[in-house]
Amino acid sequence: MRGIAGKVTLITGGIRGIGKGIARRFVEEGAQVIVTGSKDVENARKTVEELSKLGKIESYMADLSDAGAIDKMIDDVVKKYGRIDILINNAGIQIREWATEFKVEDFDKVLGVNLRAYYLAARAAARYMKKQGGGSIVCISSGNSERYTTRRSAYNISKAAVNGLVGTLGVEWGRFNIRINGVAPGYVMTDMVQKGIDEGIIDVDNIMLVIPMKRFLQPEEIASSVCFLASDEASGITGQVLFTDGGWSRAGLPEQRDI
Ligand SMILES: NC(=O)c1ccc[n+]([C@@H]2O[C@H](COP(=O)([O-])OP(=O)(O)OC[C@H]3O[C@@H](n4cnc5c(N)ncnc54)[C@H](O)[C@@H]3O)[C@@H](O)[C@H]2O)c1
């Protein structure tokens, strides 16, 4: 993909799941990758060990619910590499509960990581990108930004707001040659989804009724969309959200069989 090799690329939550798939793709494309995690030092170590066989990668630990830690993370990357070219806002959390029972502190927790951290990291990076003459930001949204499922109110709301964030900042930062876009994945088999299945909240058979492609996506398929939007191949695109969801967002009625 044009314009990825050699680029200083920070991927939040890149130590596992979808973020790790994105990290692998950027490492393979020749970027200098920094993946972040919060507490999971062992996963960070393993990911770096595995992906460093393919190219340049290191890890950085930061709790993204802490505004100060976000600014420090971006400052530290620029201190070390002299610039930040690409930011992938990927780290996210899910708490499942009926809206009537949802704890206020859990609502703040979900919005804090899924929305506030995206905004704070994007603007901290954009301050440097503006001085550098440009940059590219991709935010991981979700099919739940438009298809609302029960017991995920804070998550659905946070992801709908991510789409708004991408549009808003795309309009504000186009003049600085900073592009910001979103990728909205459908169901991808990661720890987050596995936890839902284990808790009995995600019913796989039921989900497949509304997914035209009738399968979970792989992190690599999300990584392809992210890499495209971050690259110079998408030089004319900003403020957009690319749904990468096996057709879920286009489905009407649940379909059990061909008729
Ligand atoms: N898995 C799916 O089907 C799916 C679908 C749509 C959207 N998404 C989105 O994709 C992104 C990645 O999801 P995933 O399935 O790989 O999840 P995951 O749970 O496997 O990984 C989440 C990552 O976020 C990081 N993280 C969580 N809280 C953090 C905090 N406070 N500070 C720093 N890092 C923190 C974790 O360390 C981890 O690396 C999320 O934004 C999620 O909402 C996932």
Side-chain angles (χ1 to χ4, degrees):
M1 206 74 78
R2 258 190 316 121
I4 300 290
K7 292 287 166 71
V8 177
T9 303
L10 177 67
I11 305 169
T12 69
I15 62 170
R16 67 167 200 242
I18 291 176
K20 184 177 170 187
I22 298 169
R24 176 186 296 277
R25 177 65 190 265
F26 277 79
V27 167
E28 285 171 349
E29 293 276 348
Q32 168 60 64
V33 173
I34 303 104
V35 282
T36 83
S38 53
K39 297 182 191 107
D40 201 350
V41 179
E42 185 49 19
N43 241 341
R45 192 193 61 72
K46 277 194 202 150
T47 297
V48 169
E49 188 179 86
E50 183 187 331
L51 298 186
S52 58
K53 291 176 188 133
L54 307 171
K56 294 183 212 136
I57 180 166
E58 68 162 328
S59 64
Y60 184 100
M61 303 312 271
D63 179 1
L64 301 179
S65 55
D66 172 355
I70 295 173
D71 281 342
K72 185 172 179 321
M73 170 180 77
I74 303 289
D75 288 346
D76 285 348
V77 167
V78 175
K79 251 181 230 156
K80 179 155 183 189
Y81 294 103
R83 54 193 296 117
I84 178 163
D85 299 304
I86 298 169
L87 166 70
I88 314 296
N89 273 325
N90 161 78
I93 54 171
Q94 169 73 280
I95 297 178
R96 297 176 175 93
E97 182 54 275
W98 296 103
T100 46
E101 314 305 318
F102 217 94
K103 294 196 192 97
V104 175
E105 55 269 33
D106 285 346
F107 186 86
D108 290 344
K109 220 185 211 176
V110 173
L111 272 286
V113 177
N114 294 8
L115 178 63
R116 193 179 77 145
Y118 277 29
Y119 178 71
L120 295 179
R123 69 179 197 159
R127 288 181 189 126
Y128 288 111
M129 289 172 173
K130 198 172 149 187
K131 285 186 211 147
Q132 289 165 200
S136 183
I137 302 171
V138 180
C139 295
I140 304 303
S141 175
S142 167
N144 283 132
S145 64
E146 285 198 358
R147 291 285 174 272
Y148 309 131
T149 38
T150 58
R151 285 173 282 177
R152 294 157 178 80
S153 53
Y155 184 83
N156 295 347
I157 291 164
S158 72
K159 294 298 186 179
V162 165
N163 295 1
L165 176 152
V166 160
T168 300
L169 300 182
V171 167
E172 192 165 310
W173 295 343
R175 71 201 64 198
F176 306 129
N177 193 31
I178 301 169
R179 296 185 302 103
I180 174 165
N181 291 291
V183 171
Y187 283 90
V188 184
M189 189 48 87
T190 64
D191 291 353
M192 187 182 273
V193 168
Q194 189 59 54
K195 190 163 175 276
I197 294 171
D198 295 345
E199 288 169 357
I201 289 170
I202 292 181
D203 176 339
V204 177
D205 291 341
N206 224 12
I207 285 172
M208 292 308 156
L209 299 181
V210 291
I211 298 187
M213 290 180 71
K214 307 289 176 209
R215 64 173 176 86
F216 285 101
L217 296 186
Q218 297 300 319
E220 298 73 50
E221 296 177 291
I222 308 306
S224 294
S225 295
V226 173
C227 193
F228 164 66
L229 286 173
S231 79
D232 292 348
E233 306 281 346
S235 56
I237 304 176
T238 196
Q240 302 294 331
V241 178
L242 177 55
F243 280 72
T244 306
D245 63 358
W248 177 27
S249 55
R250 289 299 184 197
L253 291 171
E255 284 191 51
Q256 234 152 350
R257 58 194 169 83
D258 291 329
I259 48 173

